Amino acid sequence: MHIAYLTPEYPHPALGNSGGMGTSIKNLVQAIVQEGHQVTLFIYGQNEDKVFSENLITFHLIKQRSYLFGGFYFYRKYIASYINNNIRGVDLIEAPDWTGITAFMHLKRPLVIRFHGSDTYFCHVEKRKQKFKNAFFESQAVKRARAFIAPTHYAGEVSMKLFNLPLDKLSIIPYGLELENFNNEAPESYSKYQLLNIGTLIRKKGVFQLVKIFNDVIEFFPEAELLFIGADSPDVQTGNPSTWELMHDITSAKARAKCHYHGKIPYDQVQRHIKEAHICVFPSLAETLGMVTIEAMALKKVVVNTNLGWAQDLIDDDINGFMYHPDDTAAYVKKITELFENPELIQSVGNNARLKIEKSFDIKKKVAENLEFYKTVIQ
């Protein structure tokens, strides 16, 4: 088969920053190519137009265009025209749900939409009012798709309901990891009492809850420290241009001295920080899956995670990780302090976490599910 992906991001030195969506696409694309299939990437919103091939993958960088008016419409039409002129041999196109990029597009190949997390979904989960424009684009985009994929049951079923789509068009296929790239030869070696959080500093990631958690943890363990890795962002509720500043304001004086922000760092350096951490803490309020959760588990780390919908597909509570509601900060504090004093529990849960990822999130298993799904759609 020859599969094309339309995406705004993809981890590559020639492109800008990429998040969890881009990482999940790259993991899948590389596995598909290894299975002997062809892949073409159409990456929009770029600084230049460029076409190149690398490792049997063809890259089409599509420059962001400017228009006097109606750019939301004309740029989509431009992308559609560009794709239709460059899909010789392509059997199927996959696109994300975010921003409804395929709205107004008439593509000459079957379209599949993967629910990485639409604005419609996140507004629903966070109980935020959605802008009419975003709702309109995304509702129009899903009408163009022949079938849908979601990484967790919760994300898929909620998205299908929000867009009033029939569930029989949905398949649940989790993201996968190249497990040979996630090896921790010394899981018993870590920086004692170090907590780690990875992700954009934004309310939906539960960063304010985590600060409150750390304010209490530091009272029990003065030597504890908390590391944040990820880009800063404006705060939607207050309009403050820096969420980090707002987090700093609610951090106690004692905790502030042991709270460190590393900003956004290269992806290849993130693993080092995960391995060094004692515990990874992700009290997120809105995800579709949470790539950093399964990456940390693959590296035999104990994760104290959110317990909201999507997380039920990732962790078996008290076996290969721990789950609590983000607002139940006392439960996080109790579990973290318990783990700090129990290296045997850290070891056993970390080993179980790796086994869970090998069973449910190995890209070599997930690629077969994706390919079978694509074949069904094409046929």
Side-chain angles (χ1 to χ4, degrees):
M1 288 184 290
H2 186 167
I3 309 300
Y5 294 85
L6 175 62
T7 174
E9 62 179 55
Y10 190 87
H12 190 279
L15 305 172
N17 292 329
S18 178
M21 180 175 76
T23 300
S24 67
I25 293 172
K26 182 177 182 178
N27 292 342
L28 177 58
V29 162
Q30 291 180 331
I32 286 174
V33 170
Q34 289 173 8
E35 291 292 319
H37 303 278
Q38 289 181 266
V39 170
T40 295
L41 296 171
F42 294 103
I43 308 168
Y44 62 92
Q46 299 303 299
N47 295 324
E48 61 176 340
D49 289 314
K50 187 176 182 180
V51 180
F52 62 94
S53 294
E54 189 177 281
N55 300 325
L56 303 177
I57 303 168
T58 302
F59 291 76
H60 288 260
L61 276 56
I62 305 175
K63 184 178 179 179
Q64 180 67 48
R65 261 65 184 178
S66 297
Y67 303 87
L68 292 176
F69 64 92
F72 61 86
Y73 174 82
F74 290 111
Y75 187 49
R76 282 171 167 80
K77 299 299 284 186
Y78 175 82
I79 294 172
S81 176
Y82 183 94
I83 291 174
N84 285 332
N85 289 330
N86 290 277
I87 54 171
R88 185 175 181 179
V90 169
D91 297 301
L92 176 144
I93 300 168
E94 179 181 307
D97 50 348
W98 178 250
T99 73
I101 188 61
T102 52
F104 319 121
M105 290 188 183
H106 294 277
L107 300 172
K108 296 181 179 179
R109 296 293 185 273
L111 172 66
V112 166
I113 286 182
R114 193 179 297 259
F115 291 125
H116 293 284
S118 64
D119 186 58
T120 301
Y121 170 83
F122 281 123
C123 284
H124 170 79
V125 172
E126 298 176 68
K127 297 178 174 58
R128 287 189 290 112
K129 185 176 180 180
Q130 187 180 22
K131 294 180 180 178
F132 172 80
K133 181 179 72 173
N134 295 345
F136 176 72
F137 290 159
E138 291 179 348
S139 64
Q140 292 301 305
V142 297
K143 292 179 181 179
R144 307 286 181 182
R146 185 173 292 185
F148 304 86
I149 313 174
T152 60
H153 289 82
Y154 179 86
E157 291 165 10
V158 169
S159 295
M160 296 296 278
K161 183 177 180 180
L162 290 171
F163 291 119
N164 195 29
L165 299 167
L167 278 176
D168 60 359
K169 288 191 174 185
L170 172 69
S171 291
I172 307 301
I173 308 177
Y175 300 143
L177 298 178
E178 295 182 27
L179 293 182
E180 61 270 24
N181 296 332
F182 290 83
N183 293 307
N184 188 355
E185 302 299 334
E188 72 284 352
S189 177
Y190 48 78
S191 295
K192 203 169 182 181
Y193 308 130
Q194 184 186 96
L195 303 177
L196 176 65
N197 179 269
I198 305 168
T200 303
L201 300 188
I202 191 170
R203 282 183 184 271
K204 71 180 182 181
K205 296 291 186 180
V207 291
F208 292 103
Q209 284 84 349
L210 183 49
V211 167
K212 293 177 182 178
I213 292 165
F214 189 60
N215 284 344
D216 290 338
V217 168
I218 201 87
E219 294 298 327
F220 294 99
F221 289 88
E223 60 271 68
E225 59 179 341
L226 171 60
L227 275 62
F228 286 98
I229 295 175
D232 196 4
S233 68
D235 181 56
V236 294
Q237 284 192 21
T238 64
N240 191 303
S242 171
T243 296
W244 172 245
E245 285 187 8
L246 293 175
M247 293 162 59
H248 189 268
D249 290 343
I250 65 170
T251 307
S252 70
K254 190 182 294 186
R256 196 174 297 148
K258 304 298 292 290
C259 192
H260 312 290
Y261 176 43
H262 291 269
K264 193 169 180 65
I265 64 175
Y267 183 71
D268 58 3
Q269 295 180 22
V270 172
Q271 270 202 33
R272 175 174 61 83
H273 286 282
I274 295 176
K275 291 177 183 179
E276 288 178 358
H278 196 157
I279 303 168
C280 294
V281 190
F282 305 123
S284 184
L285 294 157
E287 302 281 359
T288 53
L289 181 143
M291 286 295 291
V292 292
T293 297
I294 62 173
E295 289 173 346
M297 293 171 68
L299 291 169
K300 300 185 178 180
K301 284 296 161 181
V302 172
V303 174
V304 185
N305 205 67
T306 181
N307 70 349
L308 296 176
W310 60 91
Q312 306 302 320
D313 286 14
L314 313 186
I315 292 175
D316 303 300
D317 194 26
D318 285 335
I319 298 174
N320 42 51
F322 303 95
M323 299 191 296
Y324 303 100
H325 192 282
D327 290 333
D328 189 0
T329 56
Y332 280 82
V333 173
K334 182 179 179 181
K335 180 54 63 177
I336 289 168
T337 53
E338 175 191 337
L339 289 165
F340 276 167
E341 296 180 314
N342 195 333
E344 292 79 16
L345 185 59
I346 288 282
Q347 185 102 1
S348 64
V349 173
N351 288 334
N352 289 341
R354 173 70 186 200
L355 293 174
K356 173 72 174 187
I357 300 305
E358 289 176 353
K359 178 183 177 181
S360 303
F361 299 95
D362 183 351
I363 191 62
K364 289 183 173 60
K365 298 175 182 177
K366 296 299 109 181
V367 68
E369 294 178 33
N370 279 277
L371 290 171
E372 186 59 36
F373 170 81
Y374 292 151
K375 286 178 185 177
T376 301
V377 174
I378 292 167
Q379 292 169 357

